[in-house]
Amino acid sequence: MAVNSSTHCTPPLNRPLPPRLPLLFFNRNSYRPVSSNEAPNPRLLSVRAQIPGSDGFGSNKSVNLTDSEAPIESSSSSTSSAIDFLTLCHSLKTTKRKGWINHGINGPESIADHMYRMALMALIVGEVPGVNRERCIKIAIVHDIAEAIVGDITPSDGVPKVEKSRMEQAALNEMCKVLGGGMRAEEIQELWAEYENNASIEANLVKDFDKVEMILQALEYEMEHGKVLDEFFLSTAGKFQTEIGKSWAAEINSRRNSRLGRQA
């Protein structure tokens, strides 16, 4: 929480499965199935199969199948990786934003809470020429995703911006490995880097949403807890890049000033 703010999936197999195919279990290493080196298709898969014996009980044996012979369960590595990834993201729901903790807010929002309302902002914003609204929603969803591993690093932690970015990039790389790589992981990497580098008009807008969401939450906490959280408003003043950001921030500040009896 910065107060001083400055992805290929395996195609479905059309071939019918042979009858009574034994259940397959993947040998996994770092959440990925064991396979031969990158060989031309069809690729050889090494699996463990429980083969029924004459006594009706199964025994584990190694079986080699090509991609075209493998049952749908062979691509369930993507299913397993997806659940592994989502489980890792659980901490986004439970990790509280440190800026609020530092200001004595009891039961503050989580990282996921913050990203969710930013995504809602991208969803409801009016049409902006040249802006891909769907991309804004995606960027909002992933922009703090690396915090599932590194947590919420704030300016009060004293971590230099370059080091914070390096830590988050390393964490994101690990999360994409957990996801199994491929098209979706690449997309997440691209969206995160686009935001981190403020590299598009969509990134500009979502960075504004990041600040807008923070000051809106600050106003709500002021009202709920009887606090004055000037720091959050001062740290974002004059730093909005888009007309939407400036307009929404002005509305929030106007409501706050009215509540506090201040003149704009």
Side-chain angles (χ1 to χ4, degrees):
M1 178 179 186
V3 174
N4 299 324
S5 302
S6 27
T7 40
H8 299 290
C9 296
T10 304
L13 301 173
N14 297 322
R15 180 170 178 221
L17 298 179
R20 300 178 63 81
L21 193 68
L23 181 63
L24 300 179
F25 300 90
F26 277 83
N27 293 321
R28 294 175 65 78
N29 181 16
S30 297
Y31 301 95
R32 302 191 67 179
V34 175
S35 67
S36 62
N37 290 331
E38 296 297 326
N41 289 332
R43 184 165 53 90
L44 192 65
L45 302 179
S46 174
V47 302
R48 297 289 295 177
Q50 192 166 30
I51 308 297
S54 58
D55 58 359
F57 293 94
S59 60
N60 290 330
K61 296 182 179 181
S62 293
V63 177
N64 290 328
L65 297 176
T66 64
D67 280 346
S68 60
E69 293 170 330
I72 290 177
E73 281 82 2
S74 70
S75 63
S76 70
S77 60
S78 61
T79 300
S80 182
S81 294
I83 300 304
D84 289 337
F85 176 81
L86 293 171
T87 300
L88 179 54
C89 289
H90 172 73
S91 63
L92 295 169
K93 298 170 62 177
T94 59
T95 303
K96 306 304 182 182
R97 301 246 288 163
K98 194 180 296 181
W100 308 125
I101 295 174
N102 292 345
H103 283 76
I105 302 298
N106 293 322
E109 65 170 350
S110 68
I111 297 166
D113 292 331
H114 168 66
M115 293 195 295
Y116 176 72
R117 189 153 65 172
M118 284 177 60
L120 283 179
M121 292 176 178
L123 178 64
I124 69 171
V125 69
E127 295 299 323
V128 180
V131 171
N132 183 329
R133 194 161 54 93
E134 180 179 342
R135 190 163 186 86
C136 289
I137 295 170
K138 291 181 177 182
I139 293 173
I141 291 170
V142 307
H143 82 285
D144 277 342
I145 198 169
E147 293 182 9
I149 292 179
V150 302
D152 184 22
I153 302 172
T154 69
S156 65
D157 295 312
V159 179
K161 184 177 180 180
V162 172
E163 176 61 12
K164 177 178 181 290
S165 182
R166 186 202 65 77
M167 291 170 61
E168 291 181 345
Q169 180 68 75
L172 185 66
N173 292 343
E174 182 59 31
M175 295 182 73
C176 287
K177 288 180 183 178
V178 171
L179 185 56
M183 198 161 49
R184 295 299 173 229
E186 290 172 6
E187 182 181 26
I188 290 172
Q189 290 270 13
E190 291 170 5
L191 292 165
W192 183 87
E194 187 174 326
Y195 178 87
E196 182 74 3
N197 298 317
N198 202 20
S200 67
I201 189 171
E202 289 82 8
N204 299 163
L205 184 56
V206 178
K207 279 189 173 287
D208 277 3
F209 287 158
D210 184 50
K211 299 179 186 71
V212 168
E213 204 287 323
M214 184 177 72
I215 63 172
L216 177 56
Q217 186 63 75
L219 174 58
E220 292 164 348
Y221 283 150
E222 285 186 335
M223 297 170 65
E224 292 171 15
H225 299 277
K227 291 179 176 287
V228 176
L229 301 170
D230 282 335
E231 177 183 344
F232 297 91
F233 297 90
L234 293 172
S235 68
T236 58
K239 294 183 178 179
F240 294 92
Q241 307 173 76
T242 67
E243 291 307 311
I244 292 290
K246 294 173 185 176
S247 174
W248 289 17
E251 176 65 20
I252 294 169
N253 276 289
S254 175
R255 296 186 182 198
R256 180 174 187 254
N257 290 332
S258 295
R259 176 179 172 274
L260 295 176
R262 298 177 180 174
Q263 291 186 347

